[in-house]
Amino acid sequence: MRIEANLILFFWAFSIFSCLCFSVSSINFGYRFPSSAIKAEQVKLTRKSSSTNKLYKTKYFTQILDHFNFNPKSYQKFQHRYLINDTYWGGPKQNSPIFVYTGNEGDIEWFAHNTGFMFDIAPHFQALLVFIEHRFYGKSIPFGGDKDIAYSNASTLGYLTSTQALADYATLIIDLKKNLTAVDAPVVVFGGSYGGMLASWFRLKYPHVAIGALASSAPILNFENITSPYSFNNIITQDFRSESENCYKVIKGSWKKIEDTGKQSGGLELLRKSFRICKNFIDVDALASWLETAFAYTAMTDYPTPSNFLNPMPAYPVKQMCKAIDDPKSGNDTFAKLYGAASFYYNYSGTATCFNLAYSPDPHGLNMWSWQACTEMIMPTSGSNKESIFPENQWNYSRRAAGCKAFYGVHPRPNWITTEFGGHDIYRVLKRYGSNMIFFNGLRDPWSGGGVLKNISKTIVAIVAEQGAHHVDLRFATKDDPKWLRDVRQMEINIISDWISQYYHDLAHQS
Amino acid sequence: MRIEANLILFFWAFSIFSCLCFSVSSINFGYRFPSSAIKAEQVKLTRKSSSTNKLYKTKYFTQILDHFNFNPKSYQKFQHRYLINDTYWGGPKQNSPIFVYTGNEGDIEWFAHNTGFMFDIAPHFQALLVFIEHRFYGKSIPFGGDKDIAYSNASTLGYLTSTQALADYATLIIDLKKNLTAVDAPVVVFGGSYGGMLASWFRLKYPHVAIGALASSAPILNFENITSPYSFNNIITQDFRSESENCYKVIKGSWKKIEDTGKQSGGLELLRKSFRICKNFIDVDALASWLETAFAYTAMTDYPTPSNFLNPMPAYPVKQMCKAIDDPKSGNDTFAKLYGAASFYYNYSGTATCFNLAYSPDPHGLNMWSWQACTEMIMPTSGSNKESIFPENQWNYSRRAAGCKAFYGVHPRPNWITTEFGGHDIYRVLKRYGSNMIFFNGLRDPWSGGGVLKNISKTIVAIVAEQGAHHVDLRFATKDDPKWLRDVRQMEINIISDWISQYYHDLAHQS
């Protein structure tokens, strides 16, 4: 994405991995995706690939453009990508299960590589694995697969909605089971983050297709006055503050320092040098956004082992960042400390020589989340209160709406998600309705505030890990995983086993 | 609707009140709606109206055209009609319940007048009554309320779908509750026939909006190889045969007689005179369709008391028809007997002097069901086996598809309803999922074969009345109602009371 004033002012919103914008001196500034330092190193993938040759085969399904309309345009078709692994499948005769990942806002291969849990447990369950891409992402592009057309304006983007995606999944799964002569095989859906929201909504809306759902880090309550807009930044604040009060204070105090420095003569140049920003562009708001991204995403991916989800990161990266601030190695001023901290996020591999604020690569194809954040996905998360690690800021719906109108010519529908999927009083509503759902949340994950954190019923359960980050349970197991993480996964396996056993029992005793 | 050859050959399908076409000598012929003899006498309405002044107030809600798309066209608005009665409502402070009728394929006033049960029980529950019209029917017409535009072609009719209608209901109910400051008032949905399907699907898809559903005569299993296509006509056959073997045989033998007579010189004129057909049009297929309509609709509305739903009818009209055949009063030949029987359906008031085969009035605004029957509502019901009261006939999907393509330029999506709402293995799927649904079916109703006839779980229950016809339970109570009908309604009241009590309990003990 090129930096343009309007865009920068507008793009505060967007990935579910994002914490949305905040303001410095009441000025909104752009939120951007992980920097050019990203490398798709896929360490785990390489390891797994070498032992299984390939994680999956890639297939395409001819999908209908609009499930909910019957005008001629709705009948247009597109090629819908899914990944499939039948290495461990027991096959249709045994009614062996089918585990389906309900893809989220990016390239499905990226999610498959970061959902090792499904590969890890497939042999135990003799499960077929299917990862379905979300329409308008990756290679599942309507309008002949042409992104220039599909992304061009609201009349084509209009078909990018969660409800259409869920109907895609239902259609594809039903067709796939028919083709495999496996109509009686139980399907369990899995998803993390927005994919987890989709998994839980899929179980709610399509109980005849999936017998259960594991929804990991799914902030389905982050809508319309259900969850406080301060929750997201409060959790980030708490993550850093839990490491050290000094770390929290340095970061909290830095925003005004950056702003003041930027206003001084030569200040921008000083900032550029302090943060190793490339020479093509420097701007106080963009710099602050760049730093904020590092803190928010690190909090989100504060995993107990080294990882490469958004960027390559060490184990416990929040702790590492705070160490860099509390015990700086290259200079004792605030900017040097911050630079040291940010480097964990942007340059853990140590190969970057400068950071390009003017360029936002999108290696995982996440950009179109901005459309979803302008239509249905109105998730108020950008509030910062007085204690926040970020500058004080009120969530402002009107700003979002105005930006969306200016950029896409679209009005958000902020009440739509709760109308369609619920959310208000969910504990009461689902207490006596529905079954077979697991909501996992790690409390270090900024999104956990919008998650289901208590058991709803005997069969709709919450698993909460105090030390957990964003869908950590779905990652490949490693030998260094802490006990609590191994316990979480074992709980999930046991619950899913129970669902499947009960399904077989019901199937055998069907009258 | 004017009679035109193509249309006649095509319109075999359509209202859910219809039993679709059958063939005489393998020729399909038109199916048409109740004849010009219909009078909107609304006997019950008059009685109720006089005591309550008015049954309801009429209101309009500004509804969005397409809930599932965000292109500019989807944002168009239309005025969505609903009827409301707050005479008995206990009000928001008591969280008194709201009973909502999920309108089906016609004018909502007609359904309100034929759903007296809700009026009858409102005082007991101190319930607010709301009857919501289905989009594209009655006065709820998108595109500026202009039927000429809305009905003109597939690009406007495309928005007429069950999923959009359900989303309309959710949107309207949530908004209404907000406006009434009654967000915690429990909502129960009611519906009969297609409206019953919508009520049950609404509970399944919007459990956060409705705490329970009474789905009366809702053939949600009449799709995609779940229910036999012979079921519908077999039940009609059984209805007449249960009255007398002679009655059944006379009707069964009549179709060939009509066909043979039509081929003879002067035969058409003989048929015209025998059946008092007006002089403007006579055709063998149209006549057979006219008679078949009478038998099918009479079976459907074989109520134990006089009624005026489709047409004014006496109590137990199937019995009356068979009496007319078994003990004819005006002539002993087959045509005279049939005419006597058909007169119960077409001319019970005795005012018609001739019957117009060329004119199909649509007093209840049901015509656009033909669009729904060409897109989602592919309900195979037209099969007739060897024993059938109608000529032998196989259900033929291709014929439907070809007709729909020719007439609307649209391809049906015959698997869509089961993809979206389920249906296959419903007893297994919902055994451990969902709650608070009542499925009522009367076994004399031809549609009951596609209904839920067994309890699914403790809270998803089936009420089956051997003597019942199409949503008889929803009609106004009368002093002549048989005990079984009073019992059915009392069971329904008890169950709904339990739902509401449990809701209040949960509300009071919400953590």
Side-chain angles (χ1 to χ4, degrees), chain B residues 55 58 71 113 200 267 318 329 339 361 380 422 437 455:
Chain B
L55 277 181
T58 300
N71 70 34
H113 297 160
S200 66
V318 171
K329 288 182 178 163
Y339 169 73
M437 300 167 78
N455 288 349

Side-chain angles (χ1 to χ4, degrees), chain B residues 209-478:
Chain B
V209 184
I211 68 158
L214 169 53
S216 182
S217 301
I220 58 170
L221 305 182
N222 227 133
F223 294 92
E224 203 200 5
N225 298 323
I226 302 172
T227 298
S228 160
Y230 298 106
S231 161
F232 191 94
N233 286 338
N234 280 352
I235 294 170
I236 298 171
T237 300
Q238 182 51 32
D239 285 350
F240 283 87
R241 205 166 188 174
S242 72
E243 299 298 344
S244 91
E245 188 71 14
N246 176 63
C247 175
Y248 157 72
K249 280 188 179 162
V250 169
I251 299 172
K252 185 172 176 57
S254 69
W255 312 108
K256 184 149 190 336
K257 276 209 175 77
I258 291 172
E259 193 189 356
D260 290 347
T261 304
K263 286 178 186 162
Q264 291 166 10
S265 168
L268 284 176
E269 196 53 29
L270 174 63
L271 288 170
R272 182 203 307 285
K273 284 185 178 162
S274 301
F275 291 99
R276 315 293 193 273
I277 304 302
C278 306
K279 288 197 173 167
N280 56 337
F281 175 78
I282 181 73
D283 173 271
V284 163
D285 291 343
L287 173 62
S289 173
W290 181 82
L291 286 169
E292 182 258 5
T293 297
F295 299 131
Y297 283 1
T298 301
M300 227 180 291
T301 58
D302 192 35
Y303 298 134
T305 54
S307 66
N308 179 8
F309 178 40
L310 297 165
N311 277 0
M313 299 278 270
Y316 300 112
V318 171
K319 188 182 290 295
Q320 298 300 326
M321 276 193 169
C322 279
K323 266 192 193 167
I325 286 170
D326 291 345
D327 184 16
K329 288 182 178 163
S330 50
N332 210 20
D333 68 297
T334 299
F335 295 161
K337 291 173 183 173
L338 285 181
Y339 169 73
S343 293
F344 274 102
Y345 182 74
Y346 286 115
N347 194 22
Y348 184 55
S349 61
T351 53
T353 52
C354 72
F355 302 99
N356 189 348
L357 292 189
Y359 173 60
S360 282
D362 183 19
H364 309 305
L366 304 160
N367 252 351
M368 292 321 296
W369 181 257
S370 58
W371 167 262
Q372 296 195 254
C374 270
T375 50
E376 327 180 279
M377 297 298 158
I378 311 303
M379 306 174 80
T381 54
S382 61
S384 293
N385 59 18
K386 212 174 165 182
E387 299 299 306
S388 173
I389 200 165
F390 302 121
E392 221 173 327
N393 182 45
Q394 278 203 325
W395 155 249
N396 185 326
Y397 169 70
S398 306
R399 210 157 52 195
R400 170 89 62 105
C404 293
K405 182 68 187 160
F407 192 67
Y408 286 117
V410 74
H411 285 292
R413 298 182 196 158
N415 310 125
W416 169 242
I417 288 292
T418 55
T419 297
E420 179 65 9
F421 300 115
H424 294 283
D425 303 311
I426 195 169
Y427 295 94
R428 188 180 72 221
V429 168
L430 298 185
K431 182 180 177 181
R432 302 179 193 278
Y433 185 94
S435 60
N436 294 6
M437 300 167 78
I438 301 169
F439 290 97
F440 169 81
N441 278 284
L443 297 186
R444 292 184 77 77
D445 176 10
W447 288 108
S448 63
V452 173
L453 299 176
K454 291 184 304 184
N455 288 349
I456 292 179
S457 68
K458 278 188 183 170
T459 59
I460 305 181
V461 299
I463 297 178
V464 176
E466 215 176 311
Q467 297 304 311
H470 206 45
H471 50 70
V472 61
D473 56 328
L474 293 186
R475 302 190 61 74
F476 279 113
T478 80

Side-chain angles (χ1 to χ4, degrees), chain A residues 228-352:
Chain A
S228 160
Y230 298 105
S231 161
F232 191 93
N233 286 338
N234 280 352
I235 294 171
I236 299 172
T237 299
Q238 183 51 32
D239 285 350
F240 282 87
R241 205 166 188 173
S242 71
E243 299 298 343
S244 91
E245 189 69 16
N246 177 62
C247 174
Y248 158 71
K249 279 188 178 160
V250 169
I251 299 172
K252 185 170 176 60
S254 68
W255 313 106
K256 183 147 192 336
K257 275 206 174 79
I258 291 171
E259 193 188 358
D260 290 347
T261 304
K263 285 178 186 162
Q264 292 166 11
S265 166
L268 285 176
E269 196 53 27
L270 173 63
L271 289 170
R272 183 202 305 285
K273 284 184 180 163
S274 302
F275 291 98
R276 314 293 192 272
I277 304 302
C278 305
K279 288 195 172 169
N280 57 337
F281 176 77
I282 181 75
D283 173 272
V284 162
D285 291 345
L287 174 63
S289 173
W290 182 80
L291 286 168
E292 182 259 3
T293 298
F295 298 129
Y297 282 2
T298 301
M300 226 180 288
T301 59
D302 192 35
Y303 298 135
T305 54
S307 66
N308 180 7
F309 178 40
L310 297 165
N311 278 0
M313 297 279 271
Y316 299 112
V318 171
K319 188 182 291 294
Q320 297 299 327
M321 276 192 168
C322 279
K323 267 193 191 166
I325 286 171
D326 291 345
D327 185 15
K329 287 183 178 162
S330 49
N332 209 20
D333 69 295
T334 298
F335 295 161
K337 290 173 182 173
L338 286 181
Y339 171 72
S343 293
F344 274 100
Y345 182 73
Y346 286 116
N347 194 22
Y348 183 55
S349 61
T351 53

Side-chain angles (χ1 to χ4, degrees), chain A residues 5 41 58 100-101 126 171 187 364:
Chain A
E41 296 184 9
T58 301
V100 174
Y101 188 91
Q126 296 188 48
T171 305
V187 171
H364 309 304

Side-chain angles (χ1 to χ4, degrees), chain A residues 216-217 303-304 440 442 468-475 484-485 489:
Chain A
S216 182
S217 299
Y303 298 135
F440 168 81
H470 205 46
H471 50 68
V472 60
D473 56 327
L474 294 187
R475 302 190 62 72
W484 64 259
L485 180 52
R489 289 186 181 132

